[in-house]
Amino acid sequence: MKNVTFDHIISENKYLPCVSPYDPSRHRNGVLKIFRSRPDIFTRNEIVQLTKESKFSSKINSKKIVVLANDTVAGFIECLQSSQDVWTINWLAVNEQFQRQGIGRQLVDSIFEWLRNKKVYCVFVETCGCDGEAPARAFYVNQGFAPVKTEKDGYAKGHSKITFIKNL
């Protein structure tokens, strides 16, 4: 049997992604880099909003998590409390070099576990109905979300807003 060391595991896998609470002093620049790299998905106004919100760590009515791969922010998620029992995924993005490697699943699974521990049993997410958001919609469906509402022109003219729900 081959002798396996930690260094061997690192070199074979290139990185070991790990879930971590969001720390603005350590993760903010990496998170903003992910969102700024996708102007086709995130609008200027959304980037401005995220730039302001990313100054703060999680609060009592929010939870922010990152997945790190060799100290690089591979993905980010934020979930907000809308009312007593209603939580919504507000931001979710994965660095393009780490997409399709399970990072998004790690992020939502971590949020689901955190919400279950808070005795919250459903979560919402909204996304655009435009072609560019088709991969995001497919991801949410694969994670067990179901569409419950479509608002024509909900984001902008020609850009419907689709709301999904997931029972935990």
Side-chain angles (χ1 to χ4, degrees):
M1 184 167 148
K2 187 176 182 179
N3 187 13
V4 178
T5 66
F6 183 74
D7 290 336
H8 175 76
I9 293 169
I10 294 292
S11 66
E12 288 289 313
N13 293 314
K14 296 188 178 79
Y15 64 90
L16 293 173
C18 66
V19 175
S20 178
Y22 175 74
D23 176 353
S25 66
R26 293 180 45 225
H27 306 131
R28 184 171 187 244
N29 289 338
V31 167
L32 292 174
K33 182 178 177 182
I34 293 171
F35 284 85
R36 288 178 178 146
S37 73
R38 297 303 308 270
D40 56 320
I41 302 294
F42 301 104
T43 67
R44 186 180 183 329
N45 288 341
E46 287 174 319
I47 299 300
V48 168
Q49 180 183 353
L50 181 67
T51 301
K52 292 176 186 174
E53 292 174 9
S54 65
K55 293 177 184 177
F56 309 102
S57 56
S58 298
K59 297 179 180 177
I60 195 163
N61 63 344
S62 71
K63 182 67 174 176
K64 298 176 184 179
I65 298 172
V66 294
V67 169
L68 302 173
N70 286 345
D71 293 325
T72 298
V73 176
F76 172 77
I77 191 168
E78 178 188 44
C79 195
L80 297 175
Q81 185 177 21
S82 310
S83 65
Q84 184 175 350
D85 295 325
V86 178
W87 287 75
T88 302
I89 294 174
N90 190 44
W91 299 108
L92 173 61
V94 175
N95 181 319
E96 283 189 279
Q97 83 179 73
F98 296 104
Q99 289 181 354
R100 308 210 48 83
Q101 296 178 40
I103 303 298
R105 176 179 286 279
Q106 279 186 283
L107 289 164
V108 295
D109 284 350
S110 296
I111 284 291
F112 295 163
E113 180 181 352
W114 183 80
L115 289 170
R116 283 186 198 104
N117 288 336
K118 292 182 69 61
K119 308 293 187 232
V120 174
Y121 298 103
C122 75
V123 63
F124 291 89
V125 67
E126 297 172 340
T127 189
C128 187
C130 61
D131 292 343
E133 288 290 316
R137 292 190 305 276
F139 171 79
Y140 291 124
V141 169
N142 286 336
Q143 304 312 307
F145 284 86
V148 292
K149 181 179 176 185
T150 300
E151 296 174 54
K152 183 179 179 190
D153 301 330
Y155 282 117
K157 187 158 180 66
H159 295 274
S160 61
K161 181 190 295 185
I162 302 172
T163 303
F164 292 81
I165 188 172
K166 161 97 175 165
N167 291 314
L168 305 173

